[in-house]
Amino acid sequence: MSPDAAASSHHVRAATSESRFARLSLIVAALAFVGLFLLLPLAAVFTEALRKGPAEFFAALGDAETFSAIRLTLIVAAIAVPLNLVFGVAAAWAIAKFEFKGKAFLTTLIDLPFSVSPVISGLVFVLLFGSH
């Protein structure tokens, strides 16, 4: 009997030991999480942007201040994304591969934005630098 024939005659095991219900529950929970934290805020932004109608929305896109804000956002993203990629990969590699003094501090700095709300951070900046 060839190895291919022997392999096809045996029952194929599942990759995980969880039940089908458990897998489907986790998939539904993950999709609900994405919907709640990604799609819902995005829908709220577009709802607010189009509240006065599409004509007002497109008129605002032609405004000089709007164009300046979009340009600034794209410039900052074009700078921040490559820098985050380089420094993020370097930090992850250093943390995973080496033991060094300050490793716990570096890990704390990386985890800090996940534990401190951006709203609180914004409030701290407003209190430090003023609203102007």
Side-chain angles (χ1 to χ4, degrees), residues 4 12 14 16 18 23 27 49-50 53 58 80 93 99 106 115 119 123 125 128 131:
D4 292 330
V12 178
T16 62
E18 288 85 13
R23 287 193 308 259
I27 290 171
L50 297 170
F58 288 114
W93 180 65
E99 291 297 325
L106 178 61
S115 59
V119 174
L123 177 63
F125 287 135
L128 283 174
S131 61

Side-chain angles (χ1 to χ4, degrees), residues 1-11:
M1 183 183 217
S2 71
D4 292 330
S8 65
S9 67
H10 292 289
H11 179 62

Side-chain angles (χ1 to χ4, degrees), residues 41-132:
L42 189 62
V45 166
F46 279 104
T47 301
E48 284 298 316
L50 297 170
R51 184 172 298 276
K52 294 181 181 178
E56 187 74 26
F57 172 74
F58 288 114
L61 284 179
D63 189 27
E65 289 180 4
T66 304
F67 179 74
S68 177
I70 292 171
R71 191 184 69 194
L72 178 63
T73 300
L74 293 174
I75 289 170
V76 168
I79 293 169
V81 168
L83 286 175
N84 279 334
L85 175 74
V86 170
F87 288 111
V89 169
W93 180 65
I95 289 169
K97 201 76 171 158
F98 302 107
E99 291 297 325
F100 55 91
K101 192 172 190 171
K103 182 176 176 179
F105 180 69
L106 178 61
T107 306
T108 302
L109 281 179
I110 292 169
D111 290 339
L112 195 59
F114 296 112
S115 59
V116 176
S117 169
V119 174
I120 301 300
S121 301
L123 177 63
V124 168
F125 287 135
V126 166
L127 291 175
L128 283 174
F129 301 117
S131 61
H132 301 289

